[in-house]
Amino acid sequence: MNAPAQPTPAAKQPRNPLHGLTLEAIVTALQTEYGWQGLGERIPLRCFTSDPSVASSLKFLRKTPWAREKVESLYLFMLRDQRRQQSPSHRP
């Protein structure tokens, strides 16, 4: 008898848009979308406003859970905003 197939990681959390994403991918996407200045305006953290880099941001965010939550929330907002802009308006 064959063992059941293992579900893929995405299948375990199909509705979680953060599942499978690295913090680096999230920070890079936010930086690409908003730039460091825009990111620092949305989340006023020194790692985004004072000599920002992906590496320094990752170092800080990995040690600071509340800041990481803010970054993840902004990423989810960005995804919703992008989806809203891509879908045709249904308003009369």
Side-chain angles (χ1 to χ4, degrees), residues 56-73:
S56 67
S57 299
L58 292 175
K59 187 175 180 180
F60 175 74
L61 294 170
R62 287 182 178 133
K63 295 188 295 186
T64 318
W66 62 265
R68 182 178 181 145
E69 286 178 22
K70 287 182 178 282
V71 168
E72 290 173 346
S73 292

Side-chain angles (χ1 to χ4, degrees), residues 32-89:
T32 301
E33 180 74 15
Y34 301 118
W36 288 118
Q37 182 177 351
L39 196 49
E41 290 168 359
R42 286 166 177 81
I43 306 174
L45 298 172
R46 282 185 43 198
C47 67
F48 297 148
T49 60
S50 177
D51 195 25
S53 71
V54 172
S56 67
S57 299
L58 292 175
K59 187 175 180 180
F60 175 74
L61 294 170
R62 287 182 178 133
K63 295 188 295 186
T64 318
W66 62 265
R68 182 178 181 145
E69 286 178 22
K70 287 182 178 282
V71 168
E72 290 173 346
S73 292
L74 180 60
Y75 180 77
L76 293 174
F77 173 81
M78 179 190 77
L79 290 179
R80 284 191 303 272
D81 196 42
Q82 287 174 344
R83 258 187 251 119
R84 232 179 273 126
Q85 290 175 4
Q86 290 174 356
S87 66
S89 178

